[in-house]
């Protein structure tokens, strides 16, 4: 009888749990700007240290990432042309797990903005479209209930997302019900000036 084959090799799994984490001097945001069916990204550094952002165009991965270094207290803008079908798919990576994902069509103008606060992160949705937009903001990993809201034409909706239970870490996705390809994903940790913990979702299966 032949011996049993060895078990298939598997990829290593990140250890779960949290560890103490030092406060970092970063306050970073990246906002999208839709202008005449062109998409631009505004890199905003309100912190006390410079930061490097890496942007991957998921539709043109063969070109490699663009990299942008933004000084403390400065902003920088970069533009992309959507594909022939008007679509775009941009991944932004930064320090300490900073992540933004911008996916959609150049004519889809919902503006998603966020602001750091001591009690959590404020998510603002602004609708420049002529019709109302039904939106869902989902917590991808930390278990907070989804925010389902309809934003009237020319109006905005704002909600504070508490983060105390996740150690100020967040991973949120914004989707528009009428636009299947539209996505804004925001993930990172709010820096409060105090030491905290590492990401509680480390090692988890993420969406």
């Amino acid at each position: 009888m032949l011996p049993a084959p060895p078990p298939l090799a598997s990829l290593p799994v990140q250890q779960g749990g949290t560890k103490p984490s030092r406060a970092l001097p970063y306050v970073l945001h990246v906002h999208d700007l839709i202008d005449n069916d062109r998409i631009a990204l505004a890199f905003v550094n309100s912190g006390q240290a410079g930061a490097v952002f890496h942007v991957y165009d998921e539709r043109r991965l063969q070109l490699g990432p663009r990299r942008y270094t933004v000084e403390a207290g400065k902003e920088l803008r970069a533009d992309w042309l959507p594909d022939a079908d008007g679509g775009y798919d941009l991944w932004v990576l930064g320090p300490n797990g900073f992540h933004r994902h911008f996916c959609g069509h150049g004519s889809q103008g919902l503006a998603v903005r966020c602001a750091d606060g001591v009690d959590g992160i404020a998510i603002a949705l602004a609708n420049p479209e002529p019709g109302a937009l039904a939106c869902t903001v989902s917590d991808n990993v930390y278990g907070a209930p989804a925010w389902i809201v309809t934003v009237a034409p020319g109006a905005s909706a704002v909600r504070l997302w508490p983060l105390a239970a996740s150690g100020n870490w967040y991973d949120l996705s914004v989707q528009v019900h009428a636009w299947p390809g539209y996505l804004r994903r925001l993930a990172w940790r709010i820096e409060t000036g105090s030491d905290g913990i590492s990401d509680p979702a480390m090692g988890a299966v993420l969406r």
Side-chain angles (χ1 to χ4, degrees):
M1 177 181 291
L2 295 176
L8 294 176
S10 59
L11 294 174
V13 177
Q14 173 67 46
Q15 182 181 12
T18 62
K19 293 183 179 180
S21 177
R22 291 289 190 187
L24 298 174
Y26 298 119
V27 181
L28 307 174
H29 290 288
V30 179
H31 305 306
D32 63 299
L33 307 166
I34 304 295
D35 183 17
N36 295 324
D37 294 341
R38 176 191 297 263
I39 182 170
L41 298 182
F43 304 89
V44 182
N45 184 352
S46 303
Q48 300 176 356
V52 178
F53 299 92
H54 309 261
V55 184
Y56 293 83
D57 186 337
E58 289 287 296
R59 291 182 168 221
R60 303 179 180 90
L61 283 176
Q62 73 278 7
L63 300 180
R66 296 193 200 177
R67 295 181 173 88
Y68 300 92
T69 301
V70 185
E71 296 178 66
K74 298 292 183 67
E75 298 185 18
L76 187 152
R77 170 175 169 157
D79 296 285
W80 278 262
L81 282 174
D83 282 354
D85 64 356
Y88 58 87
D89 189 344
L90 304 174
W91 286 71
V92 183
L93 303 178
N96 198 35
F98 180 94
H99 173 65
R100 296 292 187 267
H101 188 185
F102 303 91
C103 185
H105 191 278
S107 63
Q108 298 167 342
L110 179 73
V112 178
R113 300 291 182 266
C114 60
D116 300 350
V118 294
D119 297 321
I121 185 169
I123 303 295
L125 311 178
N127 178 13
E129 303 289 331
L133 293 176
C135 308
T136 297
V137 183
S138 304
D139 186 323
N140 293 317
V141 68
Y142 300 108
W147 177 33
I148 301 174
V149 60
T150 296
V151 188
S156 299
V158 182
R159 175 179 169 177
L160 179 67
W161 212 278
L163 301 177
S166 60
N168 286 327
W169 293 87
Y170 61 89
D171 186 343
L172 306 173
S173 288
V174 181
Q175 295 173 295
V176 179
H177 300 183
W179 300 339
Y182 179 94
L183 173 69
R184 297 294 184 269
R185 185 170 181 176
L186 311 93
W188 203 35
R189 182 180 77 174
I190 289 181
E191 295 294 338
T192 64
S194 300
D195 295 342
I197 59 172
S198 60
D199 187 353
M202 192 74 71
V205 177
L206 301 182
R207 188 175 124 183

